[in-house]
Amino acid sequence: MMSDLLFYGLVTTLVLLSLLAVSLPNLLHGAIALIGSFFATAALYIMLQLEFVALSQIMLYIGGIIIFMLIIILLTSGLGQENRYMVKGRRRAAGAGVSALLLIGLLLTISQPSETLQKATLRAAPVTMDDIGFRLMATNKNGFIIPFEIISILLLVALVGAVVIARRDNGQEQES
Amino acid sequence: MDTSIWRPILYLIGFMAFAGVNAAWLGWAERKGAAHIQRRNGPKEVGPFGLWQPLADGIKLMTKQLLIPSGTDDILFRIAPILAMIPALTSMVVIPFSGNIQARSIDMSVLLIFALASIGMFAILLGGWASGNKYAVISAARVVSQSIAYEIPMLITVITIVMITGSTNLQDIALAQQGGFWHWNIFRLEGGHFVYMWIAFLIYFICSVAETNRAPFDMAEAESELVAGYMTEYGSMGFGLFMMGEYLNIVVGACMTTILFLGGWGSPFGFLPGIWWFLIKIYILIFTIIWIRWTYPRTQIYKLLNLSWKILIPFSLVNLLVTAAFIKVF
């Protein structure tokens, strides 16, 4: 009962914020509505006991990508600048048609009881950090050891590269 | 009791009260501390030792007009101070104040805290930009670069702790350090392998001071260069909320340092219940942060970034490597 109420509250917030994100004339306000909708999604993940996914949602999408989006917006647009575009009637109709098709398709897929979907849901529900760690480091055919190692080396290279770039700048400063 | 609806409500009220009392009286503690360090008296008129000064300040801030200068981004200007408090308040949910005082123990609480810490500077960025003031915009840009630079060594240091403990649950990390101060992560005397952990503690503590924008790292509100940075245009309770957010961040930072390095609620000798030790430890840390602020002069922004990228990141990487090697060997 309680969790149902919470779920509907969260979903309403999610839909409202997503609508705001695409309809607000000010780009920055739109980005902030997008952040809100990401938070609502993270809360939904937590309700589904997918804590790792929720936290990566917050860390990667909000902490990483959105912050860079914000900086780009802040650097390129003026304060309170509004972008209003007139959309022609024909385009509006086309957009409505595409979204209606998508909605019908989704409704048809979800309303049909599918065995694979149910099985997948059951298997996915409580994922612990240990599971993820073992899966990432596994060397068998379900493992992700090679991409994991490549990414870790890539990140280390980026980090060391940043330090090297910073060092070189300072050296030139001292010489001149 | 566990499934009762009253439990979350009680915790919510408790956190709000804890946050409000801390935000108010840490302001008093800071003014008093600053005054005594500078051989002044500090607030002393309102109540004994000026103890009711926060109430007077609160009434004054709340009765002032909320002034929104023309040329600002109206909505963001109003939202930003509220956003300043949300990450710190949310992260209190997973902090174990004692063995049995914790709102919710989730498996990845360390990750949750640092995910929220990474969006802490968000409010400052928005507030600074919405003010439409050149000083405020510079301050907003500084906050982002500072926060990104200090997150890296901080997270790398936390990873070493997670590796030693083998868990990302704050409760487990604190439990692993119970039974006397020689078990704490900062000393780690019993095995003899990790005796150098005080270096990690030092790195972590410097990073947490820098993350909370405290002097000597308060580049965001450097009065000597930027008037008051992102707070320049804020008055009345907008300013008040930003200050409360700053103090809450300090409290959460102190809680995290206590749990990760100083044994959480564990008592060093074995008397007094855990919650008191936890509070004593966090207030000692908070006092240290205040002490540092009024002792050292402000650094400069490029020195600040150099400290992180050239000293703290290499040191924390080496620390990670050595710890990993020790775990593998012993």
Side-chain angles (χ1 to χ4, degrees), chain A residues 63-78:
Chain A
I65 295 172
I66 285 286
I67 293 289
F68 280 108
M69 265 175 72
L70 274 185
I71 294 169
I72 291 164
I73 294 171
L74 296 187
L75 288 179
T76 52
S77 73

Side-chain angles (χ1 to χ4, degrees), chain B residues 141-153:
Chain B
R142 280 182 174 189
V143 164
V144 175
S145 54
Q146 177 179 346
S147 151
I148 290 174
Y150 277 87
E151 234 158 60
I152 301 168

Side-chain angles (χ1 to χ4, degrees), chain A residues 100-123:
Chain A
L101 272 178
L102 265 175
L103 182 68
I104 292 167
L106 271 174
L107 281 178
L108 281 179
T109 336
I110 294 168
S111 58
Q112 266 171 2
S114 143
E115 208 171 308
T116 15
L117 204 66
Q118 208 167 13
K119 264 187 193 164
T121 318
L122 279 179
R123 217 172 51 184

Side-chain angles (χ1 to χ4, degrees), chain A:
Chain A
M1 178 57 198
M2 192 65 194
S3 59
D4 280 356
L5 277 181
L6 203 60
F7 174 76
Y8 285 116
L10 278 175
V11 170
T12 322
T13 333
L14 179 57
V15 171
L16 281 179
L17 284 172
S18 312
L19 279 178
L20 279 179
V22 291
S23 61
L24 280 174
N26 189 326
L27 209 54
L28 191 66
H29 294 178
I32 288 155
L34 193 63
I35 293 172
S37 76
F38 280 155
F39 260 116
T41 321
L44 278 182
Y45 286 142
I46 284 183
M47 284 190 74
L48 292 169
Q49 295 183 308
L50 293 168
E51 279 148 5
F52 188 77
V53 185
L55 293 182
S56 358
Q57 171 97 4
I58 296 178
M59 256 187 162
L60 298 180
Y61 281 93
I62 303 173
I65 295 172
I66 285 286
I67 293 289
F68 280 108
M69 265 175 72
L70 274 185
I71 294 169
I72 291 164
I73 294 171
L74 296 187
L75 288 179
T76 52
S77 73
L79 182 68
Q81 178 183 338
E82 303 207 335
N83 307 302
R84 288 183 193 278
Y85 299 108
M86 289 309 291
V87 185
K88 281 178 192 156
R90 200 185 294 164
R91 283 201 173 177
R92 218 172 259 202
V98 171
S99 357
L101 272 178
L102 265 175
L103 182 68
I104 292 167
L106 271 174
L107 281 178
L108 281 179
T109 336
I110 294 168
S111 58
Q112 266 171 2
S114 143
E115 208 171 308
T116 15
L117 204 66
Q118 208 167 13
K119 264 187 193 164
T121 318
L122 279 179
R123 217 172 51 184
V127 184
T128 62
M129 191 109 174
D130 297 354
D131 293 341
I132 296 167
F134 282 125
R135 188 76 185 276
L136 277 178
M137 300 302 282
T139 43
N140 56 20
K141 85 175 193 312
N142 287 329
F144 293 95
I145 179 87
I146 292 176
F148 182 78
E149 289 298 325
I150 290 176
I151 288 172
S152 57
I153 289 174
L154 193 71
L155 287 178
L156 189 68
V157 166
L159 203 61
V160 174
V163 176
V164 168
I165 290 171
R167 274 204 118 85
R168 191 168 297 152
D169 274 346
N170 199 34
Q172 283 172 352
E173 240 169 57
Q174 280 169 351
E175 279 162 29
S176 61

Side-chain angles (χ1 to χ4, degrees), chain B residues 114-128:
Chain B
F114 288 102
L116 288 169
S118 68
I119 54 177
M121 85 299 194
F122 189 62
I124 297 179
L125 171 65
L126 288 182

Side-chain angles (χ1 to χ4, degrees), chain B residues 160-315:
Chain B
T160 60
I161 296 290
V162 169
M163 270 162 43
I164 289 176
T165 318
S167 168
T168 46
N169 192 335
L170 285 176
Q171 183 116 31
D172 292 345
I173 290 177
L175 276 176
Q177 307 172 48
Q178 295 302 303
F181 63 88
W182 54 94
H183 290 287
W184 295 357
N185 275 335
I186 181 176
F187 300 119
R188 277 273 160 186
L189 296 180
E190 84 275 26
H193 317 316
F194 301 119
V195 282
Y196 57 89
M197 280 312 278
W198 57 271
I199 301 176
F201 172 77
L202 221 60
I203 296 173
Y204 182 84
F205 192 66
I206 292 172
C207 291
S208 78
V209 172
E211 278 278 292
T212 48
N213 280 323
R214 293 286 296 181
F217 304 120
D218 62 340
M219 303 319 301
E221 45 168 308
E223 294 94 346
S224 50
E225 312 154 24
L226 296 180
V227 191
Y230 60 97
M231 295 202 279
T232 309
E233 301 291 345
Y234 281 93
S236 72
M237 215 46 209
F239 164 79
L241 284 177
F242 267 128
M243 289 308 286
M244 284 175 85
E246 187 181 325
Y247 284 120
L248 283 190
N249 280 332
I250 294 169
V251 171
V252 171
C255 288
M256 286 305 290
T257 316
T258 308
I259 294 163
L260 290 176
F261 288 96
L262 302 178
W265 63 86
S267 104
F269 312 109
F271 54 94
L272 270 181
I275 176 79
W276 296 111
W277 280 112
F278 192 80
L279 290 179
I280 289 171
K281 284 173 193 168
I282 68 170
Y283 285 118
I284 288 176
L285 280 175
I286 291 170
F287 173 73
T288 315
I289 293 173
I290 291 175
W291 189 13
I292 291 172
R293 169 168 182 180
W294 295 104
T295 307
Y296 290 102
R298 181 177 297 121
T299 55
Q300 286 157 319
I301 181 78
Y302 67 90
K303 279 188 184 165
L304 179 84
L305 296 179
N306 277 353
L307 175 67
S308 166
W309 286 99
K310 293 185 186 168
I311 299 173
L312 294 182
I313 289 181
F315 265 90

